[in-house]
Amino acid sequence: MNFAFTEDQDLIQDAARGWLGEFAGPAHARKVMATAEGYDRALWAEAVALGWTGLIVPEDQGGLGLGFVELAILMEEMGRALYPSPFEATVVLAANALMALGTPRYLEAIAGGGITATLAAGNATGKITAAPTEGGFRLDGMLRHVPDGARADLLLVAADLDGRTALFAIEGDVAGLSRTGLATMDQIRRPAELRFDTVHLPAEALIAADAGRGLALALDRAAVVLAAFAVGAAERCLEMTVDYTKERVQFGRPVASFQAVKHQCADMALAVETSRSAAYWAACVADDSGHNGDGTALALAASGAKSWCARSYFDCAAAAIQLHGGVGFTWEYDVHLYFKNARALEAVLGDGTCHRERVARLIGLDDAAEAAQ
Amino acid sequence: MNFAFTEDQDLIQDAARGWLGEFAGPAHARKVMATAEGYDRALWAEAVALGWTGLIVPEDQGGLGLGFVELAILMEEMGRALYPSPFEATVVLAANALMALGTPRYLEAIAGGGITATLAAGNATGKITAAPTEGGFRLDGMLRHVPDGARADLLLVAADLDGRTALFAIEGDVAGLSRTGLATMDQIRRPAELRFDTVHLPAEALIAADAGRGLALALDRAAVVLAAFAVGAAERCLEMTVDYTKERVQFGRPVASFQAVKHQCADMALAVETSRSAAYWAACVADDSGHNGDGTALALAASGAKSWCARSYFDCAAAAIQLHGGVGFTWEYDVHLYFKNARALEAVLGDGTCHRERVARLIGLDDAAEAAQ
Amino acid sequence: MKLSFSADDEAFRAEISGWMADNLTGDFASLKNRGGPGDEHAFFEERRAWERHMGKAGWTGVGWPKAAGGRGAPLSHQVIFYEEYARAGGPGRVGHIGEGLAGPTIVAFGSEDQKRRFLPGILSGDDLWCQGYSEPNAGSDLANVRTRARLVGDRWVIDGQKVWTSLAHVSDWCFVIARTEEGSSGHKGLSYLLVPMKQKGITVRPIQQMTGTSEFNEVFFDGAETAAENIVGKPGEGWKVAMGTLAFERGASTLGQQMAFRNQLDEIIAIAKANGRAKDPVMRQRLAEAWIGLQIMRANALRMLSQAEKPELPREAYVSKLYWATWHRDLGKLAMDVLGPEADVFPGEPGTYELTALQQLFLFTRSDTIYAGTNEIQRNIIAERALGMPREARA
Amino acid sequence: MKLSFSADDEAFRAEISGWMADNLTGDFASLKNRGGPGDEHAFFEERRAWERHMGKAGWTGVGWPKAAGGRGAPLSHQVIFYEEYARAGGPGRVGHIGEGLAGPTIVAFGSEDQKRRFLPGILSGDDLWCQGYSEPNAGSDLANVRTRARLVGDRWVIDGQKVWTSLAHVSDWCFVIARTEEGSSGHKGLSYLLVPMKQKGITVRPIQQMTGTSEFNEVFFDGAETAAENIVGKPGEGWKVAMGTLAFERGASTLGQQMAFRNQLDEIIAIAKANGRAKDPVMRQRLAEAWIGLQIMRANALRMLSQAEKPELPREAYVSKLYWATWHRDLGKLAMDVLGPEADVFPGEPGTYELTALQQLFLFTRSDTIYAGTNEIQRNIIAERALGMPREARA
């Protein structure tokens, strides 16, 4: 038991913060967010070269073989920078899911940066039905809010196959599949709608015929890592606010000297630090759970961390706007980028209410009552 | 439309505030709250002499014939003083219920101060079943949290009679009825448990065989008036806090000069003023509804006012303790009397969650959705 | 104390609601529910025509005294007017700053000549006004105003900068608080000037907001001029006059604002019913709470307005800005939570930025708790002026 | 970074939990879950015997260095010790101020002679300690301390008053912050004195709390004396030493406190299941939120303790008091809301005042956000020390 970063972990954090701070901060986000693609391919190639796409991929598939604590560290820094990239969809969702299902397929390509990918399973709304055909499968249905769904090279799509959840791999475009990017208030994330209208896939597109449990594990781990993203972004909101209010003078005093401002910043600090404790608690549980645990400890930690950290992020972003005063409301200042992203993140992978309801169930509120008090 | 007090209403408020402030403030509460009876009979006789027990009773039954706005004004002042008395049970519940049922019985006795009374209907937990007998009725069952249930001279008890809600009058003690006062954290209110074990009542004890609608009206009006009580008590918490923090010096400054203290007091003021608007809105609706309205407007106003004002009272009392610092936590200072009373009041006549759920239903959340957006 | 309306009130209600039904039609029909906060750019010219149309029909200045050209309507009629206007989906009024702030200020503090010159243009909808109070380094605090005006011959010459000026780019006139006494500070030495906007000494630069649109502007005064007689009150009385303007914000038009809130809440409830969130017990609590909160807002406003004759500002008036701003901001968040994952999406291609009305609501309401006195400033004011707590130390 | 425990840790867990199971029996069995905050008066003599029993078995000073007579247990063992102690229902420790504050202060700042004289009595459970920090007009601020001590011959003579002193009426010793430099102010001129409580210069007056009971006391020093050598550090170093004491509050014993919170939450959940509130979706949200919040509290404490070697106080340490105090206070309210109308009732006759454990929790947790630095002071500290924002103006 030692709940502090190792030296290696400190190094990962320092390197990520340095690179992202220099190249991939909000100014970068502004450049790419108005483009149709939504990210910068050249910068992404550099991120690949840093080994990030292989961070959790096993070494024998060309990755670094690190764990979810390390992935959380990296995502925390991406949140701080608000770096728009295929990382979440490709690594946090797709690679994580493939690993949870125990298949090495595509991992080397992902680790090496050859392809981007995404996952369309319980993280999307809507439903796909699969039916066996001669030599393969036919898929029909619609999914919305698939991260990077319009731009990813590889789609991992969950579909109902005879009452079980199967996972299929679709490389690029196929006949009958339409992929439409959604225009969104938050311009960092790039959700899409996927329509499957008689899509025929070959037999080898089937990755796992019974993927339900593996996908549940993967989505919980993804929730943990997204919670870490929220931590970094929330902390950046706090930093911007402290910096701005120290500079800004009103009534002849720095705004930061007013107790009302200080106390709101203190509450933001409390939100950030408790969120950090929550996210890394959950990341440790993710590392300890392996692929075959009973999943309850991870489910509790993931739901706890996701609901807590996403709310903290929203609260911090909202407080940042308030404490910036008028300029916090302008397009020019960066606060709104975090604010919109925070709102989007609250709904991703389940909102707070549904995660808390899940915790309520898992801690036994539906079990029979013990002998009367 | 004129949402300000009339001159007469101003006079009622001034008179009540004057008398209660002089004789019936927290120092008085401390004297009586440790006694078994829980109130001072001599002081109560004076309140009767002021005409308060007849406030809403029609003039031809010896009352003043005033309305629920006036009753709210009086109860607001009782809340401010935290006056422990049979007033709520006798007037706000019992007289109100008799009037809602359109029966003049007992009203003259109540108005004249000859008897105290209470109501045990939807405001209590538990259930009573009535069965017709030769020459009368037999009652069985148990009710808890009946206000003044152990000390009131007259009990108005709702019971299930052939699937309808009937109301019975029980004067004093009868065989088979046990009345037990409950020891409570809040020492201002005096709830009791009533056990009916084969209680035989004569036929004339039946006040109304189908009292459901009248009682619902009465309970909504009582909720409105309790909301006004909460307004006065909450405002007193604010006043004590402002006074104390102006006097108390910390770090070489009056505590009231710290922005964190000022802003919490401002939030208390917001809670108090919005509560006052809520309570008198609801009191006006109660006056406008009469005994034959469809009840929806009153139900909405009553649920809105009760949930809002009770929470405001609790929040103000809690903030008062916090802002008093150490002494707010002592028995010696009065804040805890309000704090405990506020907590009790939140649960009386339905807690906030159930009132809001009722509003949700009444504003049509369960109605069929209109054509898709 | 009585909340219900009289038969006379109801007759007046029938009159205005009938007029709205008959007139918000044809070319004007597309203006329904448009042009509110966050949407002020919408159909501007058409709304200007609508303002003139209302003026012709005598529906501007409903609460103004008859002597000033208004209807002199009693409070209950004003309440009904603003509520029915909004209930009918009446568009955001392009003349509201003139009708609600500049006009009443001139009525209260202006000279007879000023009344003759300025009031008819406001009532007819021909002259649009904007407000020159906030400055980049004054924020919510008029005492820090740095914009200067010097009397040169028969002209005031004005230099400085204002911000958060709604409608500046389309306004004919601006009322400007400027420092007219060299070396003065705080509330002293300020004057209240009426300044024509269409002149070369004035530059208007729109501020792009987080919504992507620009309701607010920066206004630069660089040797801008106005005639010497265009001062309301005496030189140095600007603070007193400005405080009067702020008092007019307690007018019955607030009931119209609340009816617009009601329309928004109704839309959110309709969506919740359509997408099933209305069955979620937690969401039901929030929707009911919002509904209750709005009823209380109305009751609070009616209480305040019913006591408008009293010389002291009542406490319910002190808390009203903090209350409605916070309620409205929370409504914006509630709208998003009811929409769920769909909240983020708007029609259009990625990279475009044309928000839906509820997304506008969500983003734009973040300014409610900032402009016209942040929530923090409002709490200071409540504590100091309504509760008599010690004033904040000012350097 | 790793949250799981090693095999060695688990062996230690078995040792302490076995010892508790074997020893919290017989005469001690009635002490289970008694004597915590709000219940400190319960079974006092028996708990004192229990403290001595623990001392004999070597379970006091688990985290103290071996050289000081402690176990020198690593962090993971300390965490396990405090968690298992509380999980077993171990009673509130009467020696906790000596073990957790006075002892570590003497270890860190005391002379060898002081270590020899004071540490063994703490470890054996024979000497009980109390804390003399807060004063009526100093509140949470040591800089305002007015209690004076003068060196007269070989004795410190002490005059003044302390408040909120837990266990003062039963303690043998008190560590007192007193002003030893005439005319000094603020953090200067303070000294840290060890003062015997059983002397005629000291009067202890219990403070009756809103619970009806009296955990806290006022302590009056009226010519009270202690030997000249009973000063920790040098005269004038009291602030430095006191700040060290506050740092010890970051100790692993906080995990024991959290386990007690867990026991309380479990009781509330059991009641919710029994009375049906566990089916209410709104209540489920609150219960789940409390459960999550407590897990985070533990994670936050482990983060803080894992970085105890670092010279700077980490941010998670700055926020921990504000966080746990607020969480615990909210738990008290949650308990009442789960109980519903029954929350107010306790066994007994009207007029008596013997609260249930959950009512005690509800009322007593109101002090959590006040003592040892109110929530407001904690927010100041976070803003100023952790975030580097400007200090509050002090007159």
Side-chain angles (χ1 to χ4, degrees):
Chain A
M1 198 286 297
N2 185 355
F3 199 39
F5 288 159
T6 62
E7 276 179 40
D8 282 353
Q9 289 166 342
D10 278 335
L11 289 175
I12 292 172
Q13 184 183 45
D14 290 348
R17 188 173 298 187
W19 188 85
L20 289 160
E22 191 170 351
F23 303 111
H28 172 74
R30 285 173 184 274
K31 261 188 275 174
V32 299
M33 73 191 189
T35 66
E37 187 139 45
Y39 75 105
D40 180 310
R41 281 179 180 271
L43 197 66
W44 173 246
E46 291 184 40
V48 170
L50 290 168
W52 290 358
T53 45
L55 194 81
I56 55 168
V57 172
E59 291 175 80
D60 52 10
Q61 270 99 45
L64 298 173
L66 296 172
F68 285 90
V69 168
E70 287 82 5
L71 187 56
I73 290 171
L74 188 50
M75 276 289 273
E76 181 184 333
E77 296 308 321
M78 289 194 187
R80 171 186 295 274
L82 215 58
Y83 172 38
S85 82
F87 188 82
E88 179 189 324
T90 303
V91 179
V92 177
L93 289 171
N96 164 26
L98 293 168
M99 289 171 62
L101 291 165
T103 172
R105 240 166 105 182
Y106 299 113
L107 285 177
E108 202 157 345
I110 287 174
I115 57 169
T116 61
T118 189
L119 176 70
N123 56 327
T125 63
K127 195 182 172 186
I128 303 292
T129 308
T133 59
E134 215 171 319
F137 302 91
R138 170 187 155 164
L139 272 60
D140 289 279
M142 193 266 281
L143 293 170
R144 266 171 86 83
H145 308 291
V146 179
D148 290 5
R151 72 187 185 195
D153 299 321
L154 170 69
L155 303 173
L156 301 178
V157 177
D160 184 275
L161 178 64
D162 291 333
R164 287 187 172 167
T165 301
L167 191 70
F168 296 92
I170 304 175
E171 298 171 36
D173 296 320
V174 293
L177 168 63
S178 65
R179 320 191 327 174
T180 314
L182 302 173
T184 49
M185 194 159 48
D186 170 44
Q187 296 179 284
I188 304 299
R189 305 176 61 79
R190 288 295 169 119
E193 180 180 297
L194 307 185
R195 286 190 174 271
F196 290 75
D197 187 9
T198 320
V199 172
H200 286 282
L201 298 179
E204 58 268 27
L206 181 68
I207 291 191
D210 190 4
R213 199 170 147 196
L215 288 174
L217 171 68
L219 290 177
D220 272 338
R221 298 196 302 207
V224 171
V225 178
L226 271 187
F229 182 95
V231 171
E235 185 162 70
R236 185 67 200 129
C237 290
L238 171 58
E239 289 169 0
M240 288 189 293
T241 305
V242 170
D243 290 348
Y244 178 78
T245 57
K246 278 180 173 172
E247 289 297 316
R248 166 88 172 156
V249 173
Q250 285 273 68
F251 309 108
R253 297 163 48 176
V255 168
S257 73
F258 286 96
Q259 205 178 25
V261 174
K262 290 164 65 176
H263 282 202
Q264 287 180 71
C265 287
D267 286 337
M268 292 167 79
L270 183 132
V272 168
E273 294 307 325
T274 53
S275 290
R276 180 169 284 124
S277 295
Y280 286 97
W281 155 51
C284 284
V285 175
D287 276 338
D288 288 343
S289 301
H291 298 340
N292 296 303
D294 82 346
T296 304
L298 177 60
L300 282 166
S303 282
K306 171 63 176 50
S307 59
W308 192 275
C309 297
R311 183 178 57 197
S312 290
Y313 179 17
F314 182 81
D315 290 348
C316 285
I321 289 183
Q322 181 68 25
L323 296 179
H324 273 73
V327 301
F329 183 61
T330 61
W331 191 271
E332 179 188 349
Y333 277 67
D334 290 335
V335 195
H336 74 102
L337 302 178
Y338 289 86
F339 178 70
K340 294 165 182 172
N341 181 251
R343 208 224 60 80
L345 210 66
E346 269 196 302
V348 172
L349 288 175
D351 67 15
T353 303
C354 85
H355 279 295
R356 281 185 293 272
E357 171 55 32
R358 185 184 186 215
V359 168
R361 187 166 45 75
L362 292 172
I363 62 174
L365 290 187
D366 300 314
D367 301 349
E370 289 120 60
Q373 296 288 311
Chain B
M1 198 288 295
N2 186 352
F3 199 37
F5 288 160
T6 62
E7 275 180 40
D8 283 353
Q9 289 166 341
D10 279 335
L11 288 174
I12 291 172
Q13 184 182 44
D14 290 347
R17 187 173 299 187
W19 188 84
L20 289 159
E22 189 168 353
F23 303 112
H28 173 73
R30 286 174 183 274
K31 261 189 275 174
V32 299
M33 72 190 189
T35 66
E37 188 141 40
Y39 75 105
D40 180 310
R41 281 181 180 269
L43 196 67
W44 173 245
E46 290 182 42
V48 170
L50 291 168
W52 290 358
T53 44
L55 194 81
I56 56 168
V57 172
E59 289 176 81
D60 52 12
Q61 270 98 44
L64 298 174
L66 296 172
F68 286 90
V69 168
E70 287 81 5
L71 187 56
I73 290 170
L74 188 50
M75 275 289 273
E76 180 184 333
E77 296 308 321
M78 289 192 188
R80 171 187 295 275
L82 215 59
Y83 171 39
S85 82
F87 188 82
E88 177 189 325
T90 304
V91 179
V92 178
L93 289 171
N96 164 24
L98 294 168
M99 290 170 61
L101 291 165
T103 171
R105 242 166 105 183
Y106 298 112
L107 285 178
E108 200 156 348
I110 286 173
I115 57 168
T116 61
T118 190
L119 175 71
N123 55 327
T125 63
K127 192 180 174 189
I128 304 292
T129 309
T133 60
E134 213 170 322
F137 301 91
R138 172 189 154 164
L139 271 61
D140 289 278
M142 192 266 281
L143 293 170
R144 264 171 89 82
H145 307 291
V146 179
D148 290 5
R151 72 187 186 194
D153 300 320
L154 170 69
L155 302 173
L156 301 178
V157 177
D160 183 273
L161 177 63
D162 291 333
R164 288 187 171 166
T165 300
L167 192 71
F168 296 92
I170 304 175
E171 299 170 34
D173 296 320
V174 294
L177 168 63
S178 64
R179 319 191 329 174
T180 313
L182 302 173
T184 50
M185 194 158 50
D186 169 45
Q187 296 179 288
I188 304 299
R189 305 176 61 80
R190 288 296 168 120
E193 179 180 298
L194 307 184
R195 286 190 173 272
F196 290 75
D197 186 11
T198 322
V199 172
H200 286 283
L201 297 180
E204 60 268 26
L206 181 68
I207 290 190
D210 189 5
R213 196 168 150 199
L215 288 174
L217 171 67
L219 291 177
D220 272 338
R221 298 197 302 207
V224 171
V225 179
L226 272 187
F229 181 96
V231 171
E235 184 163 70
R236 184 69 199 126
C237 290
L238 171 57
E239 289 168 1
M240 288 189 295
T241 305
V242 170
D243 289 348
Y244 178 78
T245 57
K246 278 181 175 172
E247 289 297 316
R248 167 85 171 159
V249 172
Q250 285 274 68
F251 311 106
R253 297 163 49 175
V255 168
S257 72
F258 285 97
Q259 204 178 26
V261 174
K262 290 163 67 177
H263 282 201
Q264 288 181 69
C265 287
D267 286 338
M268 292 167 80
L270 183 133
V272 168
E273 294 307 325
T274 53
S275 290
R276 181 170 284 124
S277 296
Y280 287 97
W281 155 50
C284 283
V285 175
D287 275 339
D288 288 343
S289 301
H291 299 339
N292 297 303
D294 82 346
T296 304
L298 177 60
L300 283 165
S303 281
K306 171 62 178 49
S307 59
W308 192 276
C309 298
R311 182 179 58 197
S312 290
Y313 179 16
F314 182 81
D315 289 347
C316 286
I321 288 182
Q322 181 68 24
L323 296 179
H324 274 72
V327 302
F329 184 62
T330 62
W331 191 271
E332 181 189 349
Y333 277 68
D334 291 335
V335 195
H336 73 103
L337 303 177
Y338 290 86
F339 178 70
K340 293 165 181 172
N341 181 251
R343 207 225 59 80
L345 211 67
E346 269 196 301
V348 171
L349 287 175
D351 66 15
T353 303
C354 87
H355 279 295
R356 282 185 292 271
E357 171 55 33
R358 186 183 185 215
V359 168
R361 187 166 46 74
L362 292 172
I363 62 174
L365 291 188
D366 300 314
D367 300 350
E370 288 120 59
Q373 295 289 309
Chain C
M1 178 171 272
K2 198 167 186 45
L3 268 181
S4 50
F5 290 94
S6 68
D8 169 65
D9 291 334
E10 294 301 337
F12 178 77
R13 186 189 305 279
E15 185 185 348
I16 172 63
S17 65
W19 188 86
M20 288 295 288
D22 293 344
N23 287 269
L24 197 55
T25 53
D27 286 351
F28 292 132
S30 56
L31 302 185
K32 268 194 193 171
N33 292 311
R34 297 305 302 266
D39 192 41
E40 273 175 9
H41 50 288
F43 296 105
F44 190 82
E45 280 311 317
E46 293 84 348
R47 282 161 54 215
R48 187 158 186 154
W50 169 254
E51 186 77 13
R52 289 195 174 104
H53 186 74
M54 285 185 68
K56 279 203 194 84
W59 289 116
T60 53
V62 169
W64 288 22
K66 285 189 177 163
R71 275 196 183 232
L75 173 61
S76 61
H77 286 206
Q78 294 178 51
V79 165
I80 288 168
F81 170 77
Y82 286 107
E83 289 195 340
E84 293 303 323
Y85 181 85
R87 193 196 309 273
R93 297 272 304 275
V94 297
H96 70 98
I97 296 175
E99 185 196 56
L101 299 176
T105 302
I106 292 168
V107 169
F109 299 101
S111 66
E112 288 310 308
D113 180 57
Q114 286 168 342
K115 291 178 193 173
R116 264 190 308 274
R117 284 175 51 219
F118 293 108
L119 299 183
I122 293 174
L123 290 170
S124 68
D126 289 321
D127 291 345
L128 301 189
W129 286 73
C130 62
Q131 180 179 29
Y133 277 12
S134 291
E135 297 191 2
N137 290 302
S140 306
D141 185 18
L142 286 185
N144 281 344
V145 156
R146 292 187 197 173
T147 294
R148 290 179 308 122
R150 294 162 292 136
L151 197 56
V152 179
D154 61 350
R155 317 285 295 167
W156 291 102
V157 179
I158 306 156
D159 293 281
Q161 185 190 347
K162 297 288 178 180
V163 288
W164 309 114
T165 314
S166 305
L167 300 172
H169 51 304
V170 291
S171 288
D172 305 287
W173 289 88
C174 182
F175 49 94
V176 173
I177 300 290
R179 200 164 286 287
T180 50
E181 218 171 274
E182 195 92 31
S184 67
S185 69
H187 302 153
K188 291 180 189 143
L190 299 172
S191 295
Y192 190 104
L193 304 177
L194 309 178
V195 182
M197 287 295 288
K198 311 281 156 87
Q199 56 169 307
K200 71 174 173 26
I202 292 183
T203 312
V204 175
R205 194 159 68 193
I207 297 170
Q208 192 183 17
Q209 301 140 5
M210 60 193 283
T211 50
T213 56
S214 301
E215 264 81 9
F216 300 129
N217 303 279
E218 295 176 291
V219 180
F220 299 88
F221 298 84
D222 187 12
E225 297 189 359
T226 194
E229 68 264 26
N230 287 343
I231 179 169
V232 181
K234 300 208 184 84
E237 288 187 350
W239 173 259
K240 188 185 85 180
V241 177
M243 286 300 102
T245 307
L246 292 178
F248 301 131
E249 294 188 351
R250 308 198 244 163
S253 67
T254 191
L255 276 306
Q257 181 193 33
Q258 292 178 18
M259 186 57 73
F261 293 176
R262 175 64 186 265
N263 292 342
Q264 292 163 350
L265 176 57
D266 285 347
E267 180 180 353
I268 295 166
I269 288 175
I271 290 170
K273 285 159 68 174
N275 75 7
R277 296 304 292 270
K279 294 197 198 313
D280 170 3
V282 179
M283 196 55 80
R284 290 167 75 86
Q285 291 283 313
R286 293 177 64 190
L287 290 166
E289 177 83 3
W291 188 92
I292 294 166
L294 184 54
Q295 293 298 119
I296 293 174
M297 197 188 299
R298 181 170 189 268
N300 206 64
L302 294 177
R303 244 181 93 205
M304 176 174 89
L305 294 166
S306 295
Q307 303 190 60
E309 310 298 301
K310 293 195 181 166
E312 279 183 23
L313 201 59
R315 281 201 184 165
E316 65 270 19
Y318 279 110
V319 304
S320 66
K321 166 73 187 1
L322 176 61
Y323 181 68
W324 77 250
T326 306
W327 182 93
H328 201 214
R329 186 188 65 185
D330 292 348
L331 184 75
K333 181 64 160 62
L334 177 58
M336 296 298 100
D337 291 344
V338 161
L339 282 161
E342 292 299 325
D344 212 30
V345 183
F346 52 81
E349 297 297 314
T352 64
Y353 217 74
E354 288 271 357
L355 304 173
T356 67
L358 290 182
Q359 289 168 335
Q360 285 274 10
L361 174 74
F362 171 62
L363 295 181
F364 205 81
T365 51
R366 294 289 144 179
S367 71
D368 286 342
T369 56
I370 295 173
Y371 76 82
T374 63
N375 276 11
E376 290 72 25
I377 298 285
Q378 294 295 337
R379 289 191 177 96
N380 278 354
I381 290 172
I382 294 166
E384 293 170 10
R385 299 190 203 160
L387 301 178
M389 299 175 85
R391 296 187 72 85
E392 195 61 31
R394 285 161 196 253
Chain D
M1 177 171 273
K2 197 165 185 48
L3 267 182
S4 51
F5 290 94
S6 68
D8 169 65
D9 291 335
E10 294 302 338
F12 179 78
R13 187 190 303 278
E15 184 185 350
I16 172 63
S17 67
W19 187 86
M20 289 296 288
D22 293 344
N23 286 270
L24 197 57
T25 54
D27 287 351
F28 292 133
S30 57
L31 303 186
K32 269 194 193 171
N33 291 311
R34 296 306 301 268
D39 193 40
E40 273 176 8
H41 49 289
F43 297 104
F44 189 81
E45 280 312 317
E46 294 83 350
R47 280 162 54 217
R48 186 158 187 153
W50 169 254
E51 186 78 13
R52 290 198 173 100
H53 186 73
M54 286 186 66
K56 279 205 194 79
W59 288 115
T60 53
V62 169
W64 288 22
K66 285 190 177 165
R71 277 197 180 231
L75 173 61
S76 60
H77 287 204
Q78 294 178 51
V79 166
I80 288 168
F81 169 76
Y82 286 107
E83 288 194 340
E84 292 303 322
Y85 181 86
R87 194 196 309 273
R93 295 272 305 275
V94 298
H96 71 98
I97 297 175
E99 187 196 56
L101 299 175
T105 301
I106 292 167
V107 169
F109 299 100
S111 66
E112 289 310 309
D113 180 57
Q114 287 169 341
K115 291 178 193 172
R116 266 190 307 275
R117 286 173 52 219
F118 293 109
L119 299 183
I122 293 173
L123 289 171
S124 69
D126 288 322
D127 291 345
L128 302 189
W129 286 75
C130 61
Q131 180 178 29
Y133 277 13
S134 291
E135 298 192 3
N137 290 303
S140 305
D141 184 19
L142 286 185
N144 279 344
V145 156
R146 292 187 195 174
T147 294
R148 291 179 309 122
R150 293 161 295 136
L151 198 55
V152 179
D154 61 350
R155 317 286 291 166
W156 291 102
V157 179
I158 305 156
D159 293 281
Q161 185 189 346
K162 298 287 178 180
V163 288
W164 309 114
T165 314
S166 305
L167 300 171
H169 51 305
V170 291
S171 288
D172 305 288
W173 289 89
C174 183
F175 49 95
V176 173
I177 300 290
R179 199 162 287 288
T180 48
E181 216 170 276
E182 195 93 32
S184 67
S185 69
H187 301 154
K188 292 181 188 142
L190 299 173
S191 295
Y192 191 103
L193 304 177
L194 309 178
V195 183
M197 287 296 287
K198 309 281 158 82
Q199 57 169 306
K200 71 173 175 14
I202 292 182
T203 311
V204 174
R205 195 159 67 193
I207 296 171
Q208 192 184 17
Q209 302 140 3
M210 62 192 284
T211 50
T213 56
S214 301
E215 264 81 9
F216 299 129
N217 301 278
E218 295 176 290
V219 180
F220 298 88
F221 297 85
D222 187 13
E225 297 188 358
T226 194
E229 67 265 27
N230 287 343
I231 181 171
V232 181
K234 300 207 184 87
E237 289 186 349
W239 173 258
K240 188 184 85 181
V241 177
M243 286 300 102
T245 307
L246 292 178
F248 301 130
E249 294 187 350
R250 301 201 250 163
S253 67
T254 192
L255 276 305
Q257 182 195 33
Q258 292 178 17
M259 186 57 74
F261 293 176
R262 175 64 186 264
N263 292 341
Q264 292 163 349
L265 176 57
D266 285 347
E267 180 181 353
I268 295 165
I269 288 175
I271 290 171
K273 285 159 68 175
N275 76 7
R277 296 305 291 269
K279 295 195 198 314
D280 169 4
V282 179
M283 196 54 80
R284 290 166 73 88
Q285 291 282 314
R286 291 177 65 191
L287 290 166
E289 175 85 2
W291 188 92
I292 294 166
L294 184 54
Q295 293 299 119
I296 292 174
M297 198 189 299
R298 182 170 188 268
N300 206 64
L302 294 177
R303 244 181 93 205
M304 175 173 89
L305 293 167
S306 295
Q307 305 191 57
E309 310 298 301
K310 294 196 180 164
E312 278 184 21
L313 200 60
R315 281 200 183 166
E316 64 271 20
Y318 279 110
V319 305
S320 67
K321 165 72 188 357
L322 176 61
Y323 181 68
W324 77 251
T326 306
W327 181 92
H328 201 213
R329 186 188 65 186
D330 292 348
L331 185 73
K333 182 62 160 61
L334 177 58
M336 296 298 99
D337 291 344
V338 162
L339 281 160
E342 292 299 325
D344 211 31
V345 183
F346 51 83
E349 297 296 315
T352 62
Y353 218 74
E354 289 271 357
L355 304 173
T356 67
L358 290 182
Q359 289 169 334
Q360 285 274 12
L361 174 74
F362 171 61
L363 295 182
F364 206 81
T365 50
R366 293 290 143 178
S367 70
D368 285 342
T369 56
I370 295 173
Y371 77 81
T374 63
N375 276 10
E376 290 74 24
I377 299 285
Q378 294 295 337
R379 290 191 176 95
N380 278 355
I381 291 173
I382 294 166
E384 293 170 9
R385 299 191 204 159
L387 301 178
M389 298 175 85
R391 295 187 72 86
E392 194 62 30
R394 285 162 194 253

